[in-house]
Amino acid sequence: MAFFDVDNTLMRGASIYHFARGLAARDLFTTRDLLRFAWGQLLFRASGTEHPQQIDAARDAALAFVAGHDVNDLVNLCEEIYDDTMADRIWDGTRNLVRRHLMAGERVWLVTATPVELADIIRRRLGLDGALGTVAETVDGVYTGRLVGDLLHGPAKAAAVESLARHEGVDLDSCTAYSDSSNDLPLLCAVGRPNVVNPDDALLDHAHARGWPVHEFRTHRTALRVGVPAALAGAVAGGVTMSVLRRRARR
């Protein structure tokens, strides 16, 4: 069994941010909300680390947005946005790693803090076996704005994988896991074959010290750590510009 993180491991950037951009493009997400997502991404890509306050802010923004919305409506939007803006962000190198496991007859699961609905769409598009993600509470097919359990992040990922392994009767010592972030060390340490993909500095040091395989699919690592925030800032600036133009056109 192989477990893959999504953001910056399987896909360039944060899947929830790309989803937010897709919603903004459809006038279903405000420029202010997009700025909040972008700011967290700017800090993350500039520092290579995630901070609890950034994680909490992203979680709260996402939950506040989905509250009161129909589950099926948002899932349909997820499908559309994935095909439009996210499918071409899958790292070719990571896709090849996934294929190797599938061709070897191993089951492949995604394990991500991304909402489980979005994770499940990525799973289906790539022909994988399952997806573990953050679960938002629903009542009668409508999001309440609360979580079921915790954000699937850090130690929670390891706990989720351990629970799945017990349910499936799988020995984690025979399993493989892939991640880019030192926040996922609990997950990587839970399996017998940890791998790092496009690692942050702390995870790279950890991998070198323990002889873990390192997969680097970024062409120019330093340039990307600077360039991705610049690209996000440009996208946000473009969103602000479009918002202003729309308001002017309505006058």
Side-chain angles (χ1 to χ4, degrees):
M1 210 169 202
F3 303 100
F4 284 79
D5 172 50
V6 173
D7 295 346
N8 300 304
T9 301
L10 179 69
M11 176 183 296
R12 293 190 295 277
S15 51
I16 190 66
Y17 176 76
H18 298 314
F19 180 56
R21 284 188 63 191
L23 293 175
R26 291 159 175 80
D27 292 325
L28 295 170
F29 208 72
T30 69
T31 301
R32 181 179 179 182
D33 290 330
L34 187 58
L35 283 166
R36 289 180 66 186
F37 276 103
W39 180 242
Q41 282 298 295
L42 286 167
L43 293 176
F44 169 67
R45 297 310 299 169
S47 66
T49 59
E50 296 165 330
H51 300 287
Q53 61 268 30
Q54 295 168 22
I55 297 164
D56 290 344
R59 177 200 61 203
D60 292 344
L63 288 173
F65 171 74
V66 301
H69 285 262
D70 183 86
V71 174
N72 290 331
D73 289 345
L74 280 187
V75 168
N76 289 336
L77 279 172
C78 282
E79 299 262 9
E80 183 180 313
I81 291 168
Y82 177 82
D83 292 337
D84 287 350
T85 64
M86 299 168 69
D88 61 355
R89 295 181 180 274
I90 303 295
W91 292 104
D92 288 337
T94 311
R95 191 194 301 269
N96 289 335
L97 291 173
V98 168
R99 286 173 177 164
R100 288 180 198 172
H101 287 285
L102 293 175
M103 290 179 67
E106 298 179 57
R107 286 177 288 170
V108 176
W109 279 66
L110 301 180
V111 187
T112 176
T114 290
V116 68
E117 293 86 354
L118 182 53
D120 194 58
I121 289 167
I122 299 171
R123 172 198 70 79
R124 286 189 279 108
R125 289 293 194 272
L126 298 180
L128 310 184
D129 296 279
L132 298 172
T134 298
V135 179
E137 182 185 71
T138 63
V139 174
D140 297 328
V142 175
Y143 290 106
T144 66
R146 296 184 294 269
L147 287 183
V148 176
D150 296 323
L151 194 72
L152 201 65
H153 181 268
K157 282 189 181 181
V161 163
E162 289 164 357
S163 177
L164 176 66
R166 286 194 299 270
H167 182 267
E168 297 291 320
V170 172
D171 181 3
L172 283 178
D173 286 340
S174 67
C175 293
T176 310
Y178 298 84
S179 179
D180 71 297
S181 173
S182 56
N183 293 290
D184 282 341
L185 279 171
L187 168 64
L188 294 170
C189 291
V191 301
R193 296 193 291 266
N195 285 246
V196 303
V197 178
N198 306 323
D200 62 37
D201 291 338
L203 183 57
L204 182 61
D205 290 344
H206 198 94
H208 283 162
R210 288 157 180 75
W212 294 352
V214 176
H215 309 273
E216 180 59 73
F217 302 131
R218 295 167 293 189
T219 306
H220 300 291
R221 187 164 185 264
T222 302
L224 271 173
R225 289 186 65 184
V226 175
V228 169
L232 290 179
V236 172
V240 172
T241 301
M242 288 303 296
S243 178
V244 171
L245 289 175
R246 288 192 189 104
R247 288 198 297 270
R248 288 179 178 173
R250 295 185 186 116
R251 291 175 182 170

